[in-house]
Amino acid sequence: MLVPLSWLKEFVDIDIPAELVAERLTVAGLEVGHIRYIGVPQQTVEGVRFPKSDHLVWDRDKLLLGAIREVKAHPNADRLVLALVDYGGAELEQCVTGAPNLFAYKEQGAINPPLWTAFAMEGAEVWDGHSDTPKRMVLKGKDLRGVYNKSMVCSEKELGISDEHEGVILLDHDSKYVAGTPLQDVLGDVVLNVELTPNLGHNFSVLGVARELAALLGKSLREPSYAMIAEGASITGQVTIEIHTPDLNPRFTTTLLKGTTVQPSPSWLQYRLRLAGQRSINNIVDVTNYITFEIGQPLHAYDYDELVKRAGGNAPKIITRLPATGEVLETLDGQKRELGATHILVCDESGVLGLGGIMGGAETEISDKTTNVLLEAASWNFINIRKTMHAQKIFTEAGTRFSRNVHPSRAALGSQRGIELMRQLGGGQIATGMIDEYPLPAPVIQIELPVSEVKRLLGIEMSVQQAAELLTRLQFDVTLAGDVLHVIVPDYRTDISTGVVGQADLVEEIARVIGYDRIPNTIMADEMPPQWADSAFETEERIRDLLIHLGLTENINYRFSAPELEAQLTPTGMASSLPASGYVELANPIAPEKSVMRHTLLYHLMNNATQNARYQDRQQVFEIGSIYLKNGAPLPDEPLRLGILMTGVRRKDDWSHSQQAGNADFYDIKGVIEGLIAGLHISNVSYTRSQHTTFHPGRSATLLIDGKAVGDFGEVHPLVAQNFRLTAAPVLMAELDLEAIIAATPARYTLTPLPATPPILEDIALVVAENVAAAAVEAVIRKAGGAMLKSVMLFDVYRGETIGAGNKSLAYALTYQTDEKTLKDEDVAKIRKKIIALAERELNAKLRA
């Protein structure tokens, strides 16, 4: 939120530099992310660090407030005029200018009152208004079409205020203006960019920031006037209000202004809105925006005559309700919008007028022909407004404030101040009274705070009187009863709770006024509790380290997802292998694609790979995190999972490799998993064919530990890869039950010394039926081999006519070794015979010739 310092000063006296104001606000929780200087110099304050600003400082002697007394025609150019400017000197200064907004005054003689403008003398530094890129220049005298010119009247672009260069600055007449006043003192300003968190809705206005600053500086706050001069007929009978859903719209007020004139806003209002980041439209619409920024209560103005026309010439009835099925609304931005079942509407008996709290409709908006204005100031359920904004993708200043919970008490104040300002700027008469429907009054929040709680939470000594004084500065109503503060919370403070939580909220307020940086450091009075090792966490960290050593990079993703997104992990027409339990739904999702808690890590890993494939062709990553499964209890199960993704070339090319590496395949991800299992010293591991529908049925496997499945890995099914547009190379993935892996990791393991005797290596090929798993053959070999058989590794699978249809040949590399003696061929031959015999007996296997 952009907050001009000059606007703040209307509500609180500020006698410290802007940089120190920013520092105090930031320390109190209202972070000032940036400071913009309009013509004034940046100050240096010890201990306060803000980036040095490269802005244009207006020279106090050469950039002045000027009064244009006359505009004459240029003798040699139709597109130029001569402005005679009073700048406080002995004579008027003649400026040659092509400003189009001065042509209406050409050859009209003396202008009284004068046109007040920004005047730059020779030698002044300004921005080049005709340059497409920012460029400074120093004014020098030169001939312009036969007329010597050494000074200029300035546009906003030339002063660095905005990019506006269609005309020179023209200020409304003010009796306090004196020609020759330094421009710094008239238009110079400092704009604070205050970055507010969602819980600080009461500060989302200039008045809100001023209220905070007054408390921090110990100054008095000057509230704006909410009085309205109502001299017209009673508003009763000229409009009625009907609220159908008070829980979504607890209050709705209207005031009426008749006989007004829609016209440009005065220059002070346009300038102030521009500094706050809002463009000027006309005096009526500008007032609604001005009050939104000033006190934080959004307003909406209707053309009253259009409402009457829609009511058939009768008094209009304003209705707030939920939409009917199929109802649509054309908003002020020209879009026709389909309405959701919970989108609160402002309507009349003819149809929809606007989206409550967010944006009005096009049919009853203010136009140049408007003479009668009905002003709305209402209150809305902030959660509903937030959901509606995200669903409709409309983000307005009004919606932003209502989504942060504007208290209903602000509605009447905003309506009164807004309608009176409209009367002052456009004329007319305000109807007597206000239509105020308030079916759901907000409760008064009262809290009892023992002063001992302040000491307990902040660790500082504080008297009950000191605590009361600090809260009073924040406009809390405080009375004392011994060492207890009885506190009535200001109605606009919607962030303060009741009970014990409310006590903590009040203590936080006390700390903010003191300044977090001023609370002294204290040491805990109690001893630290004994430290206990968290073996599960330590193992999880070991797994991270092992995977990084295996060449993988860790990913961290949001744990939110959407059912339709995770459905992409299952080929069309197949039953999904993902968890079947219902999704944990979010009550207030930040986006449609983050509406539930995830069931798997695979979707985000695949989505990441799709995004990253634009930049690199090799990805090897892992993620550790929870998934969320409904179990019928209030809280879901949150099992921990390990996800792995590998795609692209197997290795990076460098000087040590003479040949191009191929793409990673099933055996690469199997090698990573085997490396992880070996690094954790987990025993009794086996593999079987996977049935998981996300994976390729012939290039995937299930990991088993002690015979129990702990996850699947392999090549992603081609149809799934197509869903994610990842078809350039095979995608290898794994999702494993990390809790099962951690549970199987031994706390201690045996280290085997290096062998003292040489091994004997030999290969053996067995022919078995096609349906016999390689793991079953390996198990038989190990069983027959006994203690002397140190390792078994499958290195070849063969199918062909020579071994008969329906068969396959599995070739294994065997390693024999024992520390008792050096083995001989005859020792190994005995073991080989046992292996062949047992394989033939249990698997009907034959030794391949």
Side-chain angles (χ1 to χ4, degrees):
M1 181 179 66
L2 301 178
V3 181
L5 198 64
S6 59
W7 203 344
L8 278 176
K9 289 180 178 179
E10 286 196 1
F11 306 124
V12 60
D13 293 327
I14 301 175
D15 52 10
I16 59 176
E19 293 76 11
L20 192 53
V21 169
E23 178 75 4
R24 292 300 304 274
L25 288 172
T26 298
V27 172
L30 284 71
E31 182 177 356
V32 177
H34 178 72
I35 302 178
R36 182 189 176 201
Y37 300 87
I38 310 294
V40 298
Q42 181 177 2
Q43 298 189 41
T44 301
V45 181
E46 185 178 354
V48 177
R49 293 186 178 91
F50 276 94
K52 184 68 176 176
S53 175
D54 182 24
H55 66 285
L56 177 66
V57 179
W58 299 339
D59 191 315
R60 295 185 64 83
D61 296 324
K62 291 183 172 62
L63 277 165
L64 311 171
L65 178 65
I68 301 176
R69 300 291 184 179
E70 188 176 355
V71 178
K72 294 182 178 182
H74 192 289
N76 304 316
D78 293 337
R79 295 186 179 181
L80 298 174
V81 293
L82 307 177
L84 303 183
V85 183
D86 177 2
Y87 64 98
E91 297 179 353
L92 300 182
E93 180 70 24
Q94 178 176 274
C95 298
V96 180
T97 177
N101 56 341
L102 293 183
F103 277 67
Y105 303 93
K106 184 169 63 172
E107 300 298 347
Q108 290 189 4
I111 302 173
N112 190 24
L115 303 177
W116 295 97
T117 189
F119 174 76
M121 300 177 63
E122 185 176 20
E125 185 180 31
V126 296
W127 291 104
D128 186 347
H130 298 283
S131 175
D132 294 332
T133 58
K135 184 172 67 174
R136 297 189 186 191
M137 67 178 187
V138 176
L139 291 183
K140 296 180 180 179
K142 64 179 180 178
D143 184 88
L144 292 176
R145 299 294 297 272
V147 177
Y148 185 73
N149 185 71
K150 63 179 181 179
S151 57
M152 67 185 295
V153 283
C154 302
S155 67
E156 290 191 357
K157 183 175 182 179
E158 287 156 342
L159 295 177
I161 297 173
S162 72
D163 290 330
E164 179 62 40
H165 191 56
E166 292 302 312
V168 297
I169 294 172
L170 293 180
L171 305 177
D172 296 319
H173 179 70
D174 190 326
S175 60
K176 297 179 182 178
Y177 284 163
V178 176
T181 302
L183 195 62
Q184 277 190 24
D185 300 340
V186 181
L187 295 179
D189 213 332
V190 178
V191 181
L192 308 178
N193 187 356
V194 185
E195 300 173 354
L196 297 169
T197 52
N199 64 311
L200 298 178
H202 59 284
N203 290 327
F204 222 102
S205 64
V206 177
L207 178 61
V209 176
R211 188 186 292 121
E212 194 78 21
L213 195 56
L216 295 173
L217 301 179
K219 305 283 188 178
S220 298
L221 180 73
R222 296 184 294 272
E223 291 262 359
S225 173
Y226 301 109
M228 65 179 185
I229 300 175
E231 299 175 337
S234 174
I235 193 174
T236 303
Q238 299 194 66
V239 64
T240 57
I241 299 172
E242 191 174 287
I243 298 175
H244 289 186
T245 53
D247 55 326
L248 300 182
N249 173 212
R251 191 176 192 181
F252 199 102
T253 72
T254 58
T255 47
L256 181 61
L257 174 64
K258 287 192 170 184
T260 193
T261 301
V262 177
Q263 58 191 2
S265 294
S267 59
W268 69 265
L269 179 55
Q270 293 188 39
Y271 187 60
R272 184 160 282 181
L273 286 177
R274 190 173 298 118
L275 293 185
Q278 190 76 24
R279 68 184 182 92
S280 175
I281 299 173
N282 58 53
N283 56 335
I284 301 301
V285 176
D286 286 357
V287 166
T288 65
N289 291 326
Y290 185 82
I291 301 303
T292 299
F293 285 100
E294 182 187 56
I295 69 172
Q297 171 62 51
L299 307 176
H300 185 72
Y302 299 91
D303 187 317
Y304 178 73
D305 294 327
E306 290 296 326
L307 292 173
V308 171
K309 187 186 301 183
R310 288 167 59 93
N314 300 316
K317 176 190 286 187
I318 305 298
I319 304 166
T320 64
R321 59 171 175 81
L322 295 174
T325 303
E327 203 163 18
V328 297
L329 165 66
E330 182 178 349
T331 46
L332 285 173
D333 57 5
Q335 293 192 37
K336 290 188 177 181
R337 301 181 181 275
E338 296 181 2
L339 302 170
T342 60
H343 298 172
I344 187 71
L345 303 175
V346 179
C347 312
D348 62 7
E349 293 178 303
S350 297
V352 183
L353 298 174
L355 199 56
I358 300 175
M359 184 178 284
E363 193 171 340
T364 57
E365 66 178 316
I366 299 298
S367 70
D368 293 342
K369 299 177 181 179
T370 300
T371 57
N372 301 322
V373 177
L374 184 71
L375 183 62
E376 164 205 323
S379 175
W380 309 94
N381 180 284
F382 73 102
I383 294 176
N384 184 263
I385 293 294
R386 191 178 303 167
K387 288 181 177 180
T388 303
M389 281 202 305
H390 283 283
Q392 292 289 349
K393 294 182 172 57
I394 306 178
F395 301 94
T396 62
E397 294 290 350
T400 299
R401 283 159 178 79
F402 281 128
S403 70
R404 285 163 168 78
N405 203 0
V406 178
H407 194 277
S409 66
R410 304 292 98 183
L413 299 177
S415 188
Q416 292 169 178
R417 176 150 177 77
I419 203 73
E420 172 59 23
L421 194 52
M422 288 179 184
R423 184 194 68 80
Q424 294 175 16
L425 300 184
Q429 283 191 334
I430 299 174
T432 304
M434 173 193 298
I435 302 298
D436 184 3
E437 288 294 323
Y438 196 1
L440 194 63
V444 176
I445 305 297
Q446 300 187 52
I447 305 169
E448 292 192 357
L449 176 65
V451 74
S452 59
E453 192 70 4
V454 179
K455 178 182 178 181
R456 186 183 75 83
L457 292 177
L458 296 185
I460 58 176
E461 293 287 348
M462 179 174 292
S463 70
V464 67
Q465 291 79 11
Q466 289 174 315
E469 191 272 333
L470 292 172
L471 290 174
T472 302
R473 281 161 59 176
L474 285 165
Q475 298 191 329
F476 289 87
D477 186 355
V478 183
T479 56
L480 302 180
D483 288 337
V484 177
L485 295 85
H486 295 270
V487 181
I488 299 176
V489 178
D491 52 20
Y492 56 81
R493 290 300 302 268
T494 56
D495 59 320
I496 305 296
S497 303
T498 57
V500 176
V501 176
Q503 290 180 351
D505 289 340
L506 293 181
V507 173
E508 180 184 3
E509 294 301 298
I510 291 171
R512 289 195 316 106
V513 177
I514 294 172
Y516 293 123
D517 57 329
R518 300 180 184 179
I519 296 177
N521 294 328
T522 57
I523 299 175
M524 289 182 61
D526 202 355
E527 294 182 3
M528 289 291 290
Q531 301 299 298
W532 298 92
D534 186 342
S535 58
F537 175 76
E538 291 174 355
T539 303
E540 182 182 324
E541 289 301 299
R542 279 181 60 197
I543 290 171
R544 279 191 171 88
D545 293 340
L546 286 168
L547 291 169
I548 290 171
H549 290 158
L550 289 166
L552 276 62
T553 303
E554 184 173 11
N555 276 10
I556 300 175
N557 285 298
Y558 285 117
R559 304 192 176 194
F560 310 129
S561 187
E564 60 273 16
L565 298 180
E566 294 191 353
Q568 298 178 67
L569 294 167
T570 304
T572 304
M574 292 188 182
S576 176
S577 296
L578 298 178
S581 65
Y583 281 96
V584 178
E585 298 179 358
L586 300 181
N588 186 26
I590 60 175
E593 65 273 16
K594 296 180 176 65
S595 60
V596 300
M597 304 301 288
R598 65 186 179 187
H599 268 180
T600 176
L601 275 58
L602 298 179
Y603 168 76
H604 284 306
L605 287 172
M606 287 289 285
N607 189 53
N608 293 347
T610 301
Q611 301 299 322
N612 293 332
R614 295 179 293 175
Y615 309 108
Q616 52 190 4
D617 59 359
R618 180 181 184 273
Q619 301 183 58
Q620 298 193 3
V621 298
F622 73 93
E623 180 177 3
I624 292 175
S626 294
I627 64 172
Y628 300 83
L629 308 174
K630 278 188 175 180
N631 58 8
L635 295 178
D637 292 330
E638 300 182 26
L640 200 60
R641 294 287 188 261
L642 165 63
I644 298 173
L645 181 141
M646 302 172 69
T647 188
V649 293
R650 180 171 289 111
R651 66 170 183 267
K652 295 179 180 179
D653 286 333
D654 58 35
W655 62 270
S656 65
H657 299 102
S658 59
Q659 295 182 347
Q660 175 72 33
N663 288 325
D665 59 20
F666 169 82
Y667 296 102
D668 289 285
I669 195 166
K670 183 172 186 286
V672 168
I673 291 172
E674 288 174 338
L676 174 64
I677 295 300
L680 295 174
H681 304 281
I682 298 175
S683 58
N684 200 13
V685 173
S686 59
Y687 305 90
T688 187
R689 184 185 296 271
S690 173
Q691 304 297 321
H692 199 294
T693 52
T694 298
F695 297 100
H696 191 299
R699 301 173 189 171
S700 57
T702 299
L703 172 66
L704 297 96
I705 300 177
D706 294 328
K708 295 181 180 179
V710 297
D712 299 272
F713 65 92
E715 184 178 328
V716 170
H717 197 290
L719 296 178
V720 175
Q722 287 180 18
N723 290 341
F724 290 88
R725 305 185 301 281
L726 290 171
T727 56
V731 180
L732 296 312
M733 295 192 74
E735 185 166 41
L736 307 177
D737 183 344
L738 199 62
E739 293 175 354
I741 292 175
I742 291 173
T745 301
R748 295 181 177 84
Y749 50 88
T750 302
L751 292 176
T752 303
L754 294 174
T757 60
I760 292 181
L761 309 177
E762 76 168 10
D763 298 340
I764 186 172
L766 297 173
V767 179
V768 296
E770 184 65 52
N771 61 354
V772 176
V777 178
E778 181 180 336
V780 168
I781 293 174
R782 289 186 180 278
K783 180 180 178 182
M788 289 187 186
L789 183 60
K790 295 300 182 183
S791 72
V792 180
M793 185 179 70
L794 176 68
F795 69 87
D796 183 60
V797 180
Y798 171 76
R799 296 175 179 86
E801 295 180 1
T802 57
I803 59 175
N807 294 327
K808 61 184 176 184
S809 172
L810 303 178
Y812 292 87
L814 309 181
T815 301
Y816 302 93
Q817 195 172 35
T818 177
D819 287 338
E820 297 176 1
K821 65 177 183 176
T822 299
L823 294 177
K824 298 179 180 179
D825 289 343
E826 53 266 31
D827 297 322
V828 172
K830 293 178 183 179
I831 301 174
R832 186 190 316 114
K833 289 180 180 179
K834 290 182 181 179
I835 292 173
I836 295 170
L838 187 61
E840 184 175 2
R841 186 168 60 251
E842 294 193 1
L843 302 176
N844 197 26
K846 301 294 183 182
L847 182 67
R848 184 179 173 189

